[in-house]
Amino acid sequence: MKDFISAIVDSPDVAGVRDVFLQATRDAGFDHAVYAGRFSLSLPPSIMRGIPITFNNLTADLLAQSKSLYGVNRDAWVEWVLENDGEITAAELIARVGPEGSPSLAMGARNGLHAVKLLSLRKIVLHSVGAVMLIPGKDRTEDDLAQLWSEKADDMWLLARMAHMRIATLPREHAATNLTPRQREVLGWRSAGKTVNEIGTILGITAATVEKHMRLAREALGVDTTPQAVLKAHVTDQLFHPTYHPLTLHLP
């Protein structure tokens, strides 16, 4: 487990975390695992509509069946993760809500995946939520899951927490936008506290042209105000990109 944790910490991207996590859970006796996480939940939807991070090693047949499910965001296991900490089994959750309350878990059970352990990562990273499902394999029983969990619980909790925390620090996919280099320059200088007239002087353009670029940037980002545009460009890694920063520009 020490080697797996080290590999997660050193992973350069989400794909690297995914590969290590799924290998570690397989080695621990869980044939299948599912991870889901959302971040930056404190920001208003107009600023951040972060794409959820999800990965799994479920079978192609099961994934194909899952595409027919509707209202997954209202599934009982999702609601449980949003409202609770700790862990619960699929059997315990379905006993509370009935099969109709969790179409996802009911579909898994129909395919022989009766034994499932669900972990809530609700409070592991500030302003985020995450979940992990661990499944010993097809036709394994609750007793099988209980025995495996008694041996591997501490390792699996450590692995899940570390994976979730590492993903929180890595670049993540955001909804696509099309800021031009000039729009980024204008927003960059605005974020540095420069006025419209000062930005025009720095860039050698008129104040009206600066205002035009700010308007176009707001439209591209889908926000109403320039401060919102600056914030959204920043949190989606478009403003302070490694290849661009206002302080690297040369003044005329």
Side-chain angles (χ1 to χ4, degrees):
M1 184 53 60
K2 179 181 178 181
D3 291 340
F4 284 127
I5 295 300
S6 296
I8 284 177
V9 171
D10 293 337
S11 294
D13 50 35
V14 173
V17 175
R18 175 200 64 204
D19 293 345
V20 174
F21 180 83
L22 294 177
Q23 182 62 55
T25 52
R26 279 194 299 266
D27 284 7
F30 296 95
D31 290 354
H32 304 295
V34 178
Y35 167 83
R38 296 201 70 165
F39 301 86
S40 303
L41 297 181
S42 61
L43 295 173
S46 61
I47 300 299
M48 171 62 77
R49 294 186 184 275
I51 298 174
I53 303 294
T54 63
F55 54 76
N56 63 77
N57 58 359
L58 298 173
T59 65
D61 179 60
L62 198 60
L63 291 175
Q65 292 182 52
S66 70
K67 293 180 180 179
S68 66
L69 297 177
Y70 294 94
V72 173
N73 288 338
R74 297 187 297 274
D75 196 296
W77 76 262
V78 176
E79 294 182 356
W80 184 87
V81 167
L82 292 174
E83 298 172 2
N84 296 272
D85 304 308
E87 62 196 52
I88 192 171
T89 67
E92 291 169 334
L93 187 56
I94 290 177
R96 297 181 187 180
V97 303
E100 67 282 355
S102 182
S104 300
L105 296 178
M107 180 192 69
R110 290 194 299 272
N111 285 269
L113 304 182
H114 306 281
V116 179
K117 179 69 77 170
L118 175 63
L119 310 183
S120 171
L121 305 175
R122 186 175 64 138
K123 294 182 179 180
I124 304 302
V125 177
L126 192 64
H127 306 311
S128 80
V129 64
V132 165
M133 286 187 185
L134 298 170
I135 308 167
K138 188 174 182 179
D139 296 328
R140 300 291 293 275
T141 67
E142 287 295 305
D143 287 342
D144 294 333
L145 175 61
Q147 177 60 39
L148 182 58
W149 194 245
S150 69
E151 300 169 1
K152 302 294 184 178
D154 290 345
D155 283 349
M156 294 300 97
W157 267 112
L158 177 60
L159 184 74
R161 290 186 177 109
M162 290 302 299
H164 187 57
M165 287 190 288
R166 181 56 180 147
I167 290 171
T169 69
L170 292 169
R172 297 183 297 276
E173 185 178 359
H174 301 291
T177 55
N178 296 301
L179 290 182
T180 66
R182 183 62 92 187
Q183 290 164 8
R184 289 179 178 175
E185 285 181 327
V186 167
L187 291 181
W189 284 112
R190 192 71 186 90
S191 74
K194 300 300 183 182
T195 66
V196 169
N197 288 332
E198 289 171 334
I199 295 171
T201 300
I202 292 169
L203 299 179
I205 57 180
T206 67
T209 302
V210 173
E211 291 282 9
K212 181 192 74 172
H213 287 304
M214 286 185 177
R215 174 178 58 79
L216 293 174
R218 292 194 297 269
E219 292 175 358
L221 292 165
V223 297
D224 297 323
T225 69
T226 298
Q228 287 177 332
V230 169
L231 176 58
K232 187 168 185 176
H234 172 59
V235 299
T236 56
D237 301 319
Q238 298 180 77
L239 188 55
F240 300 113
H241 190 274
T243 60
Y244 165 73
H245 191 285
L247 296 182
T248 67
L249 299 180
H250 298 289
L251 298 182

